[in-house]
Amino acid sequence: MTTTTAPLDVETIRKDFPILSRLVHGDKPLVYLDNAATSQKPRQVIDALVGYYEQHNANVHRGIHALAEEATALYEGARDRMARFINAPSRDEVIFTKNTSEAINLVARVLGEAGPDHRVGPGDEIVITEMEHHSNIVPWHQLAERTGATVRWFRITEEGRLDLSTLDSVITERTKIVSLTHVSNLLGTINPVDVVIRRAREVGALVLVDASQSAPHLPLDVAALGADFVAVTGHKMLGPTGIGVLWGRLPLLNELPPFLGGGEMIELVTMERSTYAAPPHKFEAGTPPIAQAVGLGAAVDYLTSVGMAAIAAHEHELTAYVIDRFAEVDGLTVIGPNTATDRVAEVSFSLEGIHPHDVGQILDEQGIAVRVGHHCARPAVVRFGIPATTRASFYLYNTRAEVDALVAGLDRVKKVFG
Amino acid sequence: MNLESMYQEIILDHYKNPHGRGLREPFDAESFQVNPTCGDEVTLRVALAGSTVGDVSYEGQGCSISQASTSVLTDLVTGRSVQDALSTMDAFVEMVQGRGQVEPDEDVLEDGVAFAGVAKYPARVKCALLGWMAFKDAVSRVEGVADR
């Protein structure tokens, strides 16, 4: 992070998030540390949703009445905002989806039906990693089942990093697509995707980067990243649920077949056949999540006004503090890198002899919201020989005092089960 | 306050000092149950003596609720008729699925009443029922054998 970044005014930011001032279980202030599951929403996003429905609601890209024009302008304006936010070379490369899962499913589906250059078929290989969320595993299993291709993967090291010692043997001339996460939702690890992309380029494979856990927390520049596809979900970055983005390189999007069929994605329909619209509409069948897109536009405006570099710096400092404080807790083992270097403020851990469900429940009774379980990344959890973890994940509005509350909460957990 | 209503001393006692734990021979049927959302698991064996539950033995790993509930189960069903055991199970299921609206009968459920607080936490109801599902499954397998 740049040293010129001003520190965040977290107290002012917190006032923008109405939910952060509520109490839970009677009189306990909410300590929300489940941001990797979903983020809370600022007043600005909530207002954008309400304002859209109160003032502008209409279907988009059809009708010539005033509301239809306004709704279309707002929806397409959200696309422009998102394109700027991720530094997409063209706004036409920004496809609105339901979420990251749908974005990845879209790519996995169309690659099975693509032309000869990109089609995944028998004998081809799909490369993922052991630290993927199920949403970046299951669609590739399904593609392999449909096409006769094989899924291969990179392992995780004991420290919770991607094991790239097998880089050249896992990504080979047979590899058609490499799909990996930028940041692990279980471990918090920031992966060196540039190294993987370089190797994929050598063998002519496509690369999809799952940016679900990075786009909310780190500056994202898809042009600089150099992947072919980048998937993002809105609700983890202050936006509403039901809206995500698939970014893809325009020549590829032009070449690939459509995903779902329906209204909006067509050029011309006769009773004999259909022809398809150009990207992005080619991949957006049916009435899209309009209000949600507008809300996402407000979310990226908010993030931009705070500054992604400043957010990243704040969270990096929180990460270092969490790692330090966790080192004081007897019986606590961090699952993932036990350092603030190349990791985000999502920290999974186990507490000796106490099941994560019990940890989470006792924390909840104190108003502290964490996630427990396998975090939809079961292979990664199994890799560490445990059934589940407790995960505390932070965002721009979290404070050191909340880290202290978590550590005090863990003392209480140990007292109950000690 | 809520904390006390869920994690009763009785539950913590059973968790820390489980009754009847360990898989034993001989047995008539075995059932393995897992809660896919949290990875809690239990393997449970039943040995019947005629129409009576002779022995229930189990191994498992998971949260305090799932493991303590299985410990309480062994107390409640061992030495009872299969019919009594299953009706006790019905009372237990009714209580934990009752969203806090069901008044448990301590004469029937004994230590099991400690799990009344779980009813207010829908995410944990499956934990409390894991061992009981294994018991029901195992018993049904024995009866299947007996019918042949």
Side-chain angles (χ1 to χ4, degrees):
Chain A
M1 297 312 104
T2 65
T3 48
T4 53
T5 304
L8 289 195
D9 181 357
V10 177
E11 284 316 308
T12 302
I13 287 172
R14 289 181 70 85
K15 292 193 178 81
D16 288 332
F17 291 79
I19 208 167
L20 296 181
S21 60
R22 71 157 280 186
L23 303 174
V24 290
H25 299 307
D27 57 351
K28 308 286 191 308
L30 173 67
V31 176
Y32 186 76
L33 306 181
D34 195 17
N35 293 285
T38 198
S39 69
Q40 297 302 343
K41 322 302 175 195
R43 169 63 62 198
Q44 290 83 340
V45 169
I46 298 165
D47 286 350
L49 287 168
V50 172
Y52 171 77
Y53 279 124
E54 285 187 348
Q55 296 294 327
H56 311 291
N57 179 54
N59 212 326
V60 292
H61 300 132
R62 60 203 80 177
I64 51 163
H65 56 79
L67 295 186
E69 300 280 12
E70 289 172 20
T72 302
L74 285 167
Y75 178 69
E76 292 301 331
R79 196 189 310 278
D80 292 328
R81 286 169 159 77
M82 201 60 209
R84 276 197 299 275
F85 185 72
I86 63 174
N87 196 33
S90 163
R91 70 185 305 281
D92 295 336
E93 296 176 331
V94 174
I95 299 162
F96 283 128
T97 64
K98 187 167 69 179
N99 46 33
T100 296
S101 296
E102 191 183 63
I104 296 172
N105 274 275
L106 187 164
V107 175
R109 169 62 64 172
V110 304
L111 287 182
E113 298 163 359
D117 282 356
H118 301 299
R119 181 190 290 256
V120 173
D124 291 335
E125 292 180 353
I126 299 159
V127 172
I128 57 175
T129 86
E130 200 177 19
M131 67 168 75
E132 299 309 315
H133 188 283
H134 295 164
S135 65
N136 200 22
I137 298 175
V138 180
W140 303 112
H141 285 166
Q142 292 175 309
L143 176 62
E145 277 170 27
R146 279 199 305 276
T147 60
T150 306
V151 174
R152 304 189 61 191
W153 56 89
F154 291 107
R155 304 294 308 270
I156 303 171
T157 68
E158 197 56 36
E159 295 72 39
R161 305 283 180 190
L162 214 49
D163 179 3
L164 293 179
S165 65
T166 56
L167 184 64
D168 292 350
S169 58
V170 171
I171 300 179
T172 69
E173 301 292 335
R174 290 185 297 278
T175 308
K176 270 289 170 77
I177 171 89
V178 180
S179 190
L180 82 162
T181 194
H182 196 181
V183 167
S184 161
N185 76 310
L186 175 77
L187 309 167
T189 314
I190 302 175
N191 286 320
V193 289
D194 55 330
V195 175
V196 176
I197 291 171
R198 208 174 310 130
R199 173 61 184 159
R201 289 285 168 258
E202 286 173 11
V203 300
L206 297 173
V207 180
L208 185 156
V209 172
D210 175 354
S212 303
Q213 300 290 352
S214 58
H217 305 290
L218 306 168
L220 176 62
D221 180 336
V222 296
L225 195 64
D228 298 288
F229 304 101
V230 175
V232 168
T233 195
H235 70 94
K236 294 188 200 295
M237 48 191 286
L238 311 184
T241 52
I243 185 77
V245 163
L246 174 68
W247 170 85
R249 287 195 296 111
L250 196 55
L252 254 180
L253 296 180
N254 280 324
E255 200 180 319
L256 291 169
F259 175 44
L260 302 175
E264 202 59 47
M265 52 75 73
I266 52 93
E267 179 187 55
L268 193 70
V269 177
T270 65
M271 287 315 293
E272 288 74 30
R273 62 187 297 266
S274 305
T275 58
Y276 308 118
H281 304 295
K282 174 183 178 179
F283 299 101
E284 294 182 2
T287 297
I290 306 165
Q292 290 81 351
V294 173
L296 179 58
V300 301
D301 280 354
Y302 187 90
L303 290 170
T304 304
S305 72
V306 175
M308 287 308 297
I311 291 169
H314 169 71
E315 292 181 25
H316 180 74
E317 198 212 324
L318 271 183
T319 309
Y321 188 59
V322 174
I323 297 287
D324 278 357
R325 294 287 336 253
F326 275 8
E328 301 163 10
V329 181
D330 282 343
L332 187 151
T333 305
V334 171
I335 309 298
N338 196 15
T339 160
T341 307
D342 289 333
R343 67 125 66 231
V344 300
E346 299 172 8
V347 187
S348 267
F349 61 94
S350 60
L351 209 50
E352 197 180 356
I354 308 176
H355 192 276
H357 256 176
D358 293 322
V359 176
Q361 195 89 49
I362 302 281
L363 290 177
D364 173 63
E365 296 289 352
Q366 302 168 77
I368 303 167
V370 296
R371 172 89 188 264
V372 298
H374 56 45
H375 314 283
C376 298
R378 192 176 170 277
V381 177
V382 169
R383 150 73 182 82
F384 288 95
I386 46 179
T389 76
T390 306
R391 179 188 69 191
S393 54
F394 300 79
Y395 208 179
L396 75 165
Y397 39 65
N398 290 121
T399 64
R400 289 164 76 102
E402 290 178 307
V403 178
D404 294 337
L406 171 63
V407 172
L410 293 175
D411 279 344
R412 168 86 183 134
V413 171
K414 290 202 288 185
K415 282 200 182 74
V416 172
F417 290 97
Chain B
M1 170 58 209
N2 283 337
L3 191 68
E4 270 66 51
S5 71
M6 171 120 168
Y7 289 105
Q8 299 279 332
E9 277 306 316
I10 295 171
I11 293 180
L12 294 172
D13 282 350
H14 276 276
Y15 178 55
K16 290 169 190 170
N17 304 296
H19 302 178
R21 196 175 171 96
L23 292 172
R24 288 181 288 278
E25 309 263 356
F27 65 98
D28 295 310
E30 179 178 291
S31 175
F32 171 73
Q33 298 288 320
V34 61
N35 181 346
T37 58
C38 60
D40 284 3
E41 56 183 57
V42 63
T43 302
L44 183 143
R45 291 175 175 175
V46 289
L48 299 187
S51 61
T52 302
V53 179
D55 186 38
V56 175
S57 65
Y58 67 98
E59 262 313 331
Q61 59 164 6
C63 66
S64 58
I65 302 298
S66 68
Q67 302 306 306
S69 167
T70 309
S71 170
V72 168
L73 175 150
T74 64
D75 289 351
L76 284 176
V77 302
T78 308
R80 302 275 180 82
S81 72
V82 170
Q83 200 179 351
D84 279 358
L86 290 177
S87 63
T88 301
M89 174 175 173
D90 288 343
F92 187 83
V93 171
E94 189 192 2
M95 175 184 72
V96 298
Q97 290 183 341
R99 298 174 187 277
Q101 306 299 310
V102 176
E103 191 62 38
D105 183 345
E106 194 164 356
D107 290 341
V108 175
L109 291 177
E110 302 174 19
D111 279 2
V113 297
F115 292 85
V118 174
K120 288 180 223 140
Y121 298 87
R124 305 302 297 277
V125 169
K126 271 190 186 168
C127 307
L129 293 180
L130 192 69
W132 292 88
M133 293 303 148
F135 175 69
K136 187 181 185 184
D137 182 49
V139 167
S140 74
R141 286 166 194 240
V142 181
E143 287 178 338
V145 171
D147 288 344
R148 256 185 271 157

